[in-house]
Amino acid sequence: MLKKIYGLWLHLLIFLFGVDFAKQFDSYLRFRRKLNLKNPQTLADKVSYLFLHHSTPLMSACADKWAVREYLAQKGLAAILIPAAGGPWSNVDEIDFDALPNGFILKATHGCKMNYFVSDKSKLDISACKRTLQKWLNTTYGTYSVEPHYQDIPHRIYAEYLLGKPDQMIDYKFHCLNGHPDFILVISGRDASKARMAVKFNLFDTSWRNLNQYLQTSGLEVPNSNFIAPPQHLQQMLSIASVLSQDFPFVRVDLYEVKGKIYFGELTFSPAAGAFAYFTDEFINKMGRQLILPEEREREK
């Protein structure tokens, strides 16, 4: 209910003062990150400017966690998709839980942090699960965070086979600027017992040099004091991220490595709602100088 009220308030701000004002308000209120959208300079400024003013149908399609599977197939990367176990469904009563495997993940196609992990189906409370899924289907993600590219995505649920328990999975998030990966945020130590999932961060450049000095705590997201070894297939992952980022000025490509095999997670155009609260000012200033906006590219010609 609070999110809906906040979303209505942001919609009013957009109507009265424009989308840039609403985004700046939201970013500062929730993350204490000031955005300059009139003259974007930092990574947070530029990424927010891109998804507010350069959003395309392709971006919305690739932010759709089901439709993006076709995009990967077109790029010749269908082999790295996590096998689907069912769906997509637009109604929770369409889900045949008996037909699902013992371990699976239910995901919403149209938002972020809408993942329902089931490691043992025999212990699943189906009624409680359906209530959560229905809540997701009733939610238009992006209205309470000013991320308009999510609003055109159909509201659906689908299932994937479970690759491993959340606390055992390592998520490699390749942040790609100007069509190539620049740095890698590594997520580990997920604790799903919290109301908001707690995670640990490591930051590396593409040569796996440690950049943790540029990380800071943001809520339950904290820098990891332990070193994370590079994935076995780092170079192949970098190549995949390059292929998937060619069509966009900025995109984050999420990949996993499980038992020596690479799997695709998602494409994200507005990480952390574009605020990047877990990066220091020094880092977003540095990366902002590297990311070239379409207007800047035109001026260079």
Side-chain angles (χ1 to χ4, degrees), residues 40-183:
Q41 297 295 318
T42 72
L43 182 67
D45 295 341
K46 290 186 175 183
V47 168
S48 296
Y49 183 84
L50 283 169
F51 67 72
L52 290 176
H53 298 288
H54 288 281
S55 183
T56 65
L58 181 60
M59 282 177 59
S60 290
C62 288
D64 182 327
K65 292 178 174 58
W66 181 260
V68 72
R69 299 172 72 89
E70 176 59 29
Y71 182 73
L72 262 74
Q74 293 172 2
K75 293 289 186 179
L77 293 170
I80 67 170
L81 291 168
I82 300 172
W89 307 285
S90 56
N91 187 318
V92 296
D93 292 327
E94 297 173 354
I95 303 172
D96 183 356
F97 285 90
D98 290 336
L100 293 175
N102 185 57
F104 58 92
I105 309 173
L106 293 164
K107 294 184 176 182
T109 63
H110 59 287
C112 180
K113 296 182 179 178
M114 296 180 177
N115 303 312
Y116 201 105
F117 294 87
V118 178
S119 57
D120 184 350
K121 188 171 65 173
S122 68
K123 299 178 181 178
L124 175 64
D125 184 335
I126 293 178
S127 296
C129 177
K130 282 185 173 182
R131 286 195 295 272
T132 297
L133 300 183
Q134 188 61 55
K135 180 180 177 182
W136 295 347
L137 289 174
N138 293 340
T139 299
T140 300
Y141 189 83
T143 56
Y144 49 85
S145 53
V146 197
E147 297 173 82
H149 53 287
Y150 282 107
Q151 295 176 30
D152 294 329
I153 300 174
H155 295 199
R156 297 169 295 177
I157 303 293
Y158 74 102
E160 288 180 345
Y161 281 85
L162 187 65
L163 296 181
K165 294 181 179 180
D167 60 345
Q168 297 173 346
M169 297 292 291
I170 297 179
D171 193 351
Y172 303 94
K173 298 180 179 294
F174 294 79
H175 291 65
C176 302
L177 285 59
N178 315 310
H180 61 84
D182 267 86
F183 58 92

Side-chain angles (χ1 to χ4, degrees), residues 122-256:
S122 68
K123 299 178 181 178
L124 175 64
D125 184 335
I126 293 178
S127 296
C129 177
K130 282 185 173 182
R131 286 195 295 272
T132 297
L133 300 183
Q134 188 61 55
K135 180 180 177 182
W136 295 347
L137 289 174
N138 293 340
T139 299
T140 300
Y141 189 83
T143 56
Y144 49 85
S145 53
V146 197
E147 297 173 82
H149 53 287
Y150 282 107
Q151 295 176 30
D152 294 329
I153 300 174
H155 295 199
R156 297 169 295 177
I157 303 293
Y158 74 102
E160 288 180 345
Y161 281 85
L162 187 65
L163 296 181
K165 294 181 179 180
D167 60 345
Q168 297 173 346
M169 297 292 291
I170 297 179
D171 193 351
Y172 303 94
K173 298 180 179 294
F174 294 79
H175 291 65
C176 302
L177 285 59
N178 315 310
H180 61 84
D182 267 86
F183 58 92
I184 307 156
L185 188 67
V186 181
I187 308 298
S188 62
R190 284 182 173 87
D191 182 357
S193 66
K194 307 291 185 182
R196 289 179 59 244
M197 187 177 289
V199 299
K200 294 181 180 179
F201 287 143
N202 290 79
L203 186 63
F204 300 96
D205 67 12
T206 55
S207 297
W208 215 254
R209 287 186 287 259
N210 179 34
L211 301 177
N212 267 25
Q213 69 269 25
Y214 296 122
L215 291 173
Q216 58 189 14
T217 297
S218 175
L220 297 177
E221 302 166 334
V222 300
N224 189 359
S225 58
N226 296 324
F227 178 77
I228 298 289
Q232 178 183 351
H233 298 295
L234 175 60
Q235 292 306 313
Q236 187 178 349
M237 286 177 155
L238 288 167
S239 296
I240 290 169
S242 294
V243 169
L244 293 176
S245 63
Q246 288 303 302
D247 297 321
F248 312 106
F250 172 85
V251 65
R252 195 190 75 197
V253 180
D254 293 3
L255 300 173
Y256 302 95

